[in-house]
Amino acid sequence: MKSYVCELCDYTYNPEKGDPERGVAPGTAFNDLPDDWTCPVCGAEKNEFQAVPETNL
Protein backbone atom coordinates (compact mmCIF):
# COMPACT_ATOMS: atom_id res chain seq x y z
CA MET A 1 0.00 0.00 0.00
CA LYS A 2 1.18 3.49 -0.81
CA SER A 3 1.91 6.16 1.76
CA TYR A 4 0.58 9.68 1.25
CA VAL A 5 2.15 12.96 2.33
CA CYS A 6 0.33 16.15 3.32
CA GLU A 7 1.37 18.99 1.02
CA LEU A 8 0.78 21.55 3.78
CA CYS A 9 2.77 20.12 6.70
CA ASP A 10 4.65 17.05 5.36
CA TYR A 11 2.82 14.58 7.64
CA THR A 12 2.98 11.13 6.05
CA TYR A 13 0.01 8.78 6.33
CA ASN A 14 1.42 5.26 6.54
CA PRO A 15 -1.29 2.66 5.87
CA GLU A 16 0.66 0.02 7.79
CA LYS A 17 0.26 2.14 10.94
CA GLY A 18 -3.15 3.68 10.21
CA ASP A 19 -4.30 6.46 12.53
CA PRO A 20 -5.47 4.55 15.63
CA GLU A 21 -5.83 7.69 17.74
CA ARG A 22 -8.57 8.76 15.33
CA GLY A 23 -10.20 5.36 14.82
CA VAL A 24 -8.33 4.25 11.68
CA ALA A 25 -7.02 0.71 12.04
CA PRO A 26 -3.58 -0.36 10.84
CA GLY A 27 -3.79 -1.74 7.31
CA THR A 28 -6.30 0.89 6.13
CA ALA A 29 -5.42 2.15 2.65
CA PHE A 30 -5.52 5.91 2.11
CA ASN A 31 -8.37 5.57 -0.38
CA ASP A 32 -10.37 3.69 2.27
CA LEU A 33 -10.12 6.50 4.83
CA PRO A 34 -13.45 8.18 5.64
CA ASP A 35 -14.25 11.17 3.41
CA ASP A 36 -14.17 13.45 6.45
CA TRP A 37 -10.72 12.27 7.61
CA THR A 38 -8.23 15.13 7.93
CA CYS A 39 -4.52 15.43 8.58
CA PRO A 40 -3.94 14.84 12.30
CA VAL A 41 -1.23 17.53 12.35
CA CYS A 42 -2.66 20.48 10.42
CA GLY A 43 -6.27 19.52 9.62
CA ALA A 44 -5.80 19.44 5.83
CA GLU A 45 -8.41 17.51 3.85
CA LYS A 46 -7.61 14.34 1.91
CA ASN A 47 -7.31 16.26 -1.37
CA GLU A 48 -4.22 18.01 0.06
CA PHE A 49 -2.29 14.70 0.12
CA GLN A 50 -0.13 13.26 -2.63
CA ALA A 51 1.06 9.69 -3.07
CA VAL A 52 4.67 9.13 -2.06
CA PRO A 53 6.56 7.95 -5.14
CA GLU A 54 7.82 4.40 -4.87
CA THR A 55 11.56 4.09 -5.19
CA ASN A 56 13.22 1.28 -7.06
CA LEU A 57 16.13 0.04 -5.01
Side-chain angles (χ1 to χ4, degrees):
M1 286 187 273
K2 287 186 177 185
S3 294
Y4 284 74
V5 64
C6 178
E7 294 182 323
L8 302 180
C9 73
D10 290 330
Y11 165 81
T12 299
Y13 174 77
N14 180 340
E16 292 178 9
K17 295 180 180 178
D19 186 5
E21 292 179 5
R22 301 176 73 205
V24 178
T28 302
F30 185 81
N31 291 333
D32 293 334
L33 291 171
D35 290 337
D36 62 350
W37 182 86
T38 58
C39 177
V41 174
C42 72
E45 295 182 1
K46 285 175 61 177
N47 63 356
E48 298 290 343
F49 282 73
Q50 293 294 320
V52 174
E54 294 183 29
T55 57
N56 294 326
L57 300 175

